[in-house]
Amino acid sequence: MPSTDRFKIEASDRRNLRRLLAMSWKHAPGCVKVLTLQLVILALGIYGLVLGGIGIDTIHHALNPVMPAARWPFGYNPFGIVQEPLHQVLCIAVFLLGVAALKGYLSYWYAVLLAELVEHDIVVELRTQVYDKLQRLSFRFFDANATGSLINRVTGDSRAVVTFVNGVLIQGLVILMTLAVFLAYMFTLSIPLTLACLATTPLLWLVTYRFTVKVRPLYGENRELVDTLISRYSESIQGIQVVKGFGAEGKVREEFVRVNARIRDQQGEIFQRVSRYNPTVGFLTQVNLGVLLLYGGWLVNHGGFPLGAGLVVFVGLLLQFAGQVAAFASIANTAQQSIIAARRVFEVLDTPVEIQDRSDAKNVGRLTGAITFEDVWFEYKPGEPVLQGVSFDIKPGECVAILGQTGSGKSALLSLIPRFFDPARGRVTMDGYNIAELGLDDLRRNVGLVFQESFLFSNTIAANIRFGHPDATDAQMVRAAQIAAADGFIRELPEGYETLLGESGLNL
């Protein structure tokens, strides 16, 4: 059984990975542009190393003419007309500064293009998709998911998913290109020395693989703990009156501290694994460097290998090579976080929209309000009916009171009229139309609601009144306020109807 569970998890991760790649493919032109620029920056970096090595060989040859002269790439020395070695070194230094300046300029544009690709395009698009889907899901979905979890999926998880493009896909391709270029250039310098120095690379890959396997479940647990923390925080703020009313500040604080400490301890476990991994990689890198100094030094001493363009450049390439291999651990971490976050985001995007328009939905305009319940059954959970066989008629203009104990189904019954839920059996009609056959917007424009708790948005009073009818005129807005006996105190406010309300109208 455990092995089967692992297979299911891995299969799910593979599906999520394919979806992440498909999402990235939509932005392929931007990714190609960024990768091309990075390839140019990589070439300039290697060329800068080579120039430094050539400068060292030029000085070495001038001090000891027995040593071989500096070897230029492709055999072309752009400063060959300069005879004085010191002047050649000066020219190389100036040219090296120019290469460094160009590399810095292109690195700036690389960062700008990457930020535009990730922040301006992908982040905005994904968050909009998740938020749009949340607006269309039924109350049943929100009843089953904590507010803190949903907030975290729109904000934190969406960003973690998007980092897949930058932190995994682009950076992974950059590292692969870097390793390929470095490896090719190192082979051109010395195949035996390259093989000797990279002998521990398979061990580096093994350590990296074991590290990623160990930390993968820890990241999933971390996201759930953060959900719990956000939920605790959100509930304590929304229920502050209840907390203070019962003098429960200490209890609420202790619960928050406990959850916060659990996240700290869990993250500490991740950090411990990272702290053990990095020194291991560093040690293997130093082993490679030791092999280079021993074997490479012997080659230089016997005149078969240049000091600057050979050994010094090789040191720089080897250190960067080891750094790129080690960076795969960071990419693996980001990939794990992205896949776990993707699983949570895709759960929202893949949730079926329970209440939606039918393909043949009717828009009938203004209705008179004749409501009929015909043998209506309703259940929040399968097999646990809240309403059973409810039937009645309400004529237009008729006032009907529905009484019952708490939990008897009064709110559930009323929620069926604007189709916040659909009945399990039976049907609800309005003016003879089955409301399931009407367009949702058309139906709900015919239903007026007064909720048990009034919710006010952080906007002007006028915008709150117009929320259900954005096109209402000023006269209609004022008339609505007069009917609600609110016009008098609204006009006494400093900005009147344009007064900006705080969260939930706390400044009223």
Side-chain angles (χ1 to χ4, degrees):
M1 181 64 70
S3 60
T4 303
D5 291 342
R6 282 198 299 270
F7 173 78
K8 290 180 179 178
I9 292 174
E10 291 174 358
S12 173
D13 287 347
R14 286 195 294 271
R15 287 194 299 270
N16 290 331
L17 182 58
R18 287 195 294 269
R19 292 184 67 172
L20 287 171
L21 291 173
M23 181 186 73
S24 304
W25 182 251
K26 293 172 57 180
H27 302 273
C31 293
V32 170
K33 188 184 301 183
V34 168
L35 287 172
T36 302
L37 194 55
Q38 180 61 40
L39 189 60
V40 175
I41 294 171
L42 174 62
L44 289 173
I46 294 179
Y47 192 59
L49 276 175
V50 173
L51 283 176
I54 290 174
I56 293 174
D57 285 340
T58 301
I59 298 173
H60 196 200
H61 178 69
L63 295 176
N64 187 4
V66 176
M67 302 306 298
R71 294 187 301 186
W72 285 83
F74 310 109
Y76 174 67
N77 180 2
F79 310 117
I81 59 175
V82 180
Q83 299 299 323
E84 181 65 34
L86 182 60
H87 292 166
Q88 281 197 9
V89 172
L90 180 61
C91 291
I92 292 172
V94 172
F95 194 64
L96 184 58
L97 288 176
V99 171
L102 179 59
K103 181 184 175 185
Y105 177 75
L106 294 180
S107 297
Y108 164 77
W109 279 109
Y110 170 81
V112 170
L113 290 176
L114 189 60
E116 289 180 350
L117 174 66
V118 175
E119 299 294 337
H120 295 178
D121 296 337
I122 306 178
V123 169
V124 173
E125 177 185 338
L126 186 60
R127 282 180 176 169
T128 301
Q129 288 179 359
V130 177
Y131 186 78
D132 175 68
K133 185 59 178 286
L134 287 173
Q135 300 301 307
R136 294 184 287 115
L137 292 175
S138 69
F139 287 164
R140 199 185 306 273
F141 174 83
F142 293 95
D143 291 340
N145 292 274
T147 302
S149 175
L150 297 180
I151 293 174
N152 198 21
R153 295 186 194 210
V154 175
T155 55
D157 288 334
S158 294
R159 169 163 287 281
V161 169
V162 170
T163 57
F164 176 84
V165 178
N166 174 26
V168 179
L169 185 61
I170 292 179
Q171 295 303 320
L173 291 175
V174 166
I175 288 178
L176 289 176
M177 289 191 309
T178 303
L179 293 177
V181 172
F182 282 1
L183 195 60
Y185 194 80
M186 289 162 69
F187 273 130
T188 63
L189 293 176
S190 173
I191 294 177
L193 183 60
T194 301
L195 295 177
C197 291
L198 299 182
T200 62
T201 300
L203 188 56
L204 269 175
W205 288 108
L206 178 61
V207 171
T208 300
Y209 172 76
R210 288 179 58 84
F211 171 74
T212 56
V213 169
K214 293 292 185 181
V215 299
R216 177 169 55 189
L218 297 178
Y219 284 118
E221 182 184 356
N222 180 261
R223 302 310 300 173
E224 294 177 359
L225 289 172
V226 172
D227 281 352
T228 303
L229 181 71
I230 295 175
S231 295
R232 291 282 189 274
Y233 183 77
S234 176
E235 289 175 356
S236 65
I237 297 299
Q238 294 175 353
I240 191 65
Q241 292 181 336
V242 176
V243 172
K244 289 184 175 295
F246 287 92
E249 293 93 337
K251 177 184 176 182
V252 172
R253 183 171 56 252
E254 289 176 2
E255 291 180 355
F256 186 85
V257 169
R258 178 177 56 80
V259 176
N260 206 16
R262 181 69 187 94
I263 294 177
R264 178 202 62 202
D265 296 340
Q266 199 266 348
Q267 288 180 334
E269 187 175 353
I270 297 176
F271 293 153
Q272 285 181 5
R273 295 187 182 278
V274 173
S275 299
R276 288 195 295 267
Y277 169 78
N278 287 334
T280 303
V281 172
F283 173 75
L284 293 176
T285 301
Q286 294 303 313
V287 170
N288 292 340
L289 189 58
V291 172
L292 170 63
L293 293 177
L294 291 173
Y295 187 22
W298 182 84
L299 291 176
V300 171
N301 188 49
H302 286 73
F305 202 57
L307 175 63
L311 186 62
V312 173
V313 172
F314 213 102
V315 169
L317 293 175
L318 184 61
L319 289 175
Q320 293 189 46
F321 187 94
Q324 297 295 332
V325 173
F328 263 109
S330 175
I331 290 179
N333 288 343
T334 304
Q336 297 300 331
Q337 295 180 62
S338 297
I339 291 173
I340 291 169
R343 185 188 310 154
R344 290 157 51 84
V345 170
F346 292 152
E347 282 176 1
V348 176
L349 295 178
D350 294 341
T351 300
V353 179
E354 182 181 351
I355 308 298
Q356 57 183 322
D357 288 338
R358 295 184 179 180
S359 58
D360 58 347
K362 303 172 184 177
N363 293 320
V364 295
R366 187 71 174 174
L367 299 173
T368 62
I371 299 173
T372 301
F373 276 61
E374 299 177 359
D375 190 30
V376 171
W377 290 62
F378 175 73
E379 52 192 26
Y380 289 109
K381 297 180 180 179
E384 300 180 11
V386 177
L387 302 174
Q388 303 181 50
V390 176
S391 300
F392 61 83
D393 294 301
I394 301 176
K395 298 180 177 60
E398 186 177 9
C399 183
V400 175
I402 299 175
L403 306 178
Q405 297 178 346
T406 300
S408 60
K410 303 184 298 298
S411 297
L413 185 146
L414 294 177
S415 296
L416 297 176
I417 298 175
R419 276 196 76 196
F420 293 152
F421 300 96
D422 280 335
R425 288 165 48 185
R427 67 174 191 161
V428 180
T429 68
M430 190 174 293
D431 286 9
Y433 295 101
N434 184 347
I435 63 172
E437 300 174 354
L438 301 180
L440 278 174
D441 291 342
D442 193 52
L443 168 66
R444 290 172 182 173
R445 276 195 295 267
N446 279 281
V447 179
L449 294 174
V450 178
F451 296 97
Q452 290 175 317
E453 295 181 5
S454 298
F455 184 86
L456 295 173
F457 292 92
S458 299
N459 208 327
T460 63
I461 293 176
N464 272 276
I465 297 175
R466 284 193 173 104
F467 186 81
H469 189 10
D471 298 327
T473 64
D474 289 345
Q476 291 173 321
M477 176 192 67
V478 171
R479 178 57 181 158
Q482 290 172 343
I483 294 173
D487 179 69
F489 80 81
I490 291 175
R491 292 186 182 277
E492 292 177 359
L493 296 171
E495 302 296 329
Y497 282 88
E498 296 303 315
T499 299
L500 187 65
L501 300 181
E503 185 177 359
S504 300
L506 293 178
N507 57 330
L508 286 177

